[in-house]
């Protein structure tokens, strides 16, 4: 029985867009041109925290092991960024959604 097996003799892996990266190929949504200043500052702070993390990571990996500091200092900007991202999602988590009425059906 030759079923419908897409992986045999077909396109290379990942050609159908499902490469198992769980959205890694999707670009970040861009800010609309009329986004409020607070949202722009929030995104700038997140970008700067990732940049500081990358700089600290490269610095830590390039220093000799005897003079290395704590890895917690390196990952602190990343943890702060993740915490800010979670805090920004809290209003949506506690939003009340009205139940649909019987008239909508």
């Amino acid at each position: 029985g030759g079923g419908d097996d897409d992986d045999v003799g077909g396109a290379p892996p990942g050609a159908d867009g499902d490469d198992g990266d769980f959205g890694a190929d999707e670009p970040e949504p861009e800010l609309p041109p009329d986004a409020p200043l607070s949202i722009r500052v929030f995104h700038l702070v997140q970008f700067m925290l990732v940049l500081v993390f990358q700089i600290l990571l490269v610095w830590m990996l390039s220093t000799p092991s005897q003079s290395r500091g704590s890895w917690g200092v390196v990952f602190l900007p990343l943890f702060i960024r993740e915490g800010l991202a979670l805090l920004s999602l809290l209003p949506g988590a506690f939003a009340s959604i009205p139940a649909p009425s019987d008239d909508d059906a």
Side-chain angles (χ1 to χ4, degrees):
D4 292 329
D5 193 1
D6 293 333
D7 293 335
V8 177
D16 59 352
D18 184 21
D19 55 0
D21 284 344
F22 300 108
D25 292 336
E26 297 175 12
E28 289 282 328
E30 292 187 24
L31 288 175
D34 58 343
L37 182 63
S38 60
I39 292 177
R40 292 179 182 272
V41 170
F42 178 75
H43 284 278
L44 177 66
V45 168
Q46 283 195 329
F47 173 77
M48 295 302 290
L49 286 169
V50 171
L51 182 66
V52 168
F53 163 71
Q54 290 178 350
I55 291 170
L56 289 173
L57 182 65
V58 169
W59 173 71
M60 183 67 91
L61 292 173
S62 66
T63 56
S65 61
Q66 296 83 11
S67 61
R68 283 188 185 165
S70 172
W71 281 97
V73 173
V74 173
F75 283 95
L76 187 64
L78 196 61
F79 294 148
I80 292 172
R81 180 197 176 275
E82 291 298 319
L84 287 175
L86 284 174
L87 285 176
S88 71
L89 295 175
L90 283 179
F94 292 108
S96 61
I97 300 172
S101 64
D102 294 332
D103 297 340
D104 294 339

